[in-house]
Amino acid sequence: MEQSYADGAVAGAIIMVALGVLVVFLIPLIFYLLTLQKALNRCSPENRAMAPGLVWLMLIPVFGFIWHFIMVLNVAKSLGAEFQKRGITEDPKPGQQLGIVMCVLSCCSIIPLLNMLSSPAFLICWIIYWVKIAGYSAKLASPAPLPA
């Protein structure tokens, strides 16, 4: 009887730790997706390469790895078209190169041994990409400069 109680306590502790780890990783991911969604919302509908709500498909396990590539390409295409329409000088596909590197590193991080190098690099690229997209989004939110 004592053994089954101990086993149950260990199982409960493992579940609690797993849930804690999940929450720690899920919260930043949700804020990241909100940033991407906001950036797409700030693009006019005719310049969007994808609907803003589709960023949430990233939460689907395994599929999220593939969707991240698609999302990066479509966000870059949308931002580029919006900047061009507004006459803002910017890279034609803002954030695309960094985003693709980030996605490749993300995929490499699931490969044993390679993940020791790619996971930290992914995290750094992810943060830089996130900040870049937030910056592009802020640029779209600011009022257009008045003509001189």
Side-chain angles (χ1 to χ4, degrees):
M1 175 112 177
E2 283 183 37
Q3 183 64 30
S4 63
Y5 176 74
D7 290 344
V10 169
I14 290 171
I15 290 171
M16 293 304 292
V17 168
L19 286 174
V21 168
L22 180 66
V23 167
V24 165
F25 286 106
L26 199 56
I27 289 173
L29 178 60
I30 288 170
F31 282 109
Y32 168 69
L33 295 175
L34 284 169
T35 301
L36 296 181
Q37 184 177 25
K38 185 187 291 186
L40 287 169
N41 275 325
R42 289 181 173 164
C43 295
S44 56
E46 64 269 9
N47 289 331
R48 290 182 196 150
M50 68 181 265
L54 292 178
V55 300
W56 298 101
L57 293 175
M58 175 89 177
L59 295 174
I60 299 172
V62 183
F63 176 73
F65 284 105
I66 298 161
W67 187 248
H68 208 181
F69 282 95
I70 295 166
M71 210 167 50
V72 163
L73 294 172
N74 285 325
V75 167
K77 197 181 301 180
S78 301
L79 290 172
E82 189 67 22
F83 285 140
Q84 184 178 14
K85 176 187 173 191
R86 294 186 187 193
I88 300 172
T89 306
E90 198 57 66
D91 180 20
K93 298 203 176 174
Q96 182 171 307
Q97 285 181 329
L98 177 61
I100 294 297
V101 168
M102 171 193 64
C103 290
V104 169
L105 289 168
S106 172
C107 291
C108 290
S109 69
I110 61 174
I111 300 170
L113 297 179
L114 186 56
N115 66 356
M116 289 186 290
L117 295 173
S118 61
S119 293
F122 160 72
L123 186 61
I124 291 166
C125 287
W126 181 53
I127 292 168
I128 294 169
Y129 178 77
W130 187 356
V131 170
K132 273 184 155 303
I133 297 302
Y136 293 138
S137 180
K139 194 180 271 193
L140 292 175
S142 64
L146 296 173

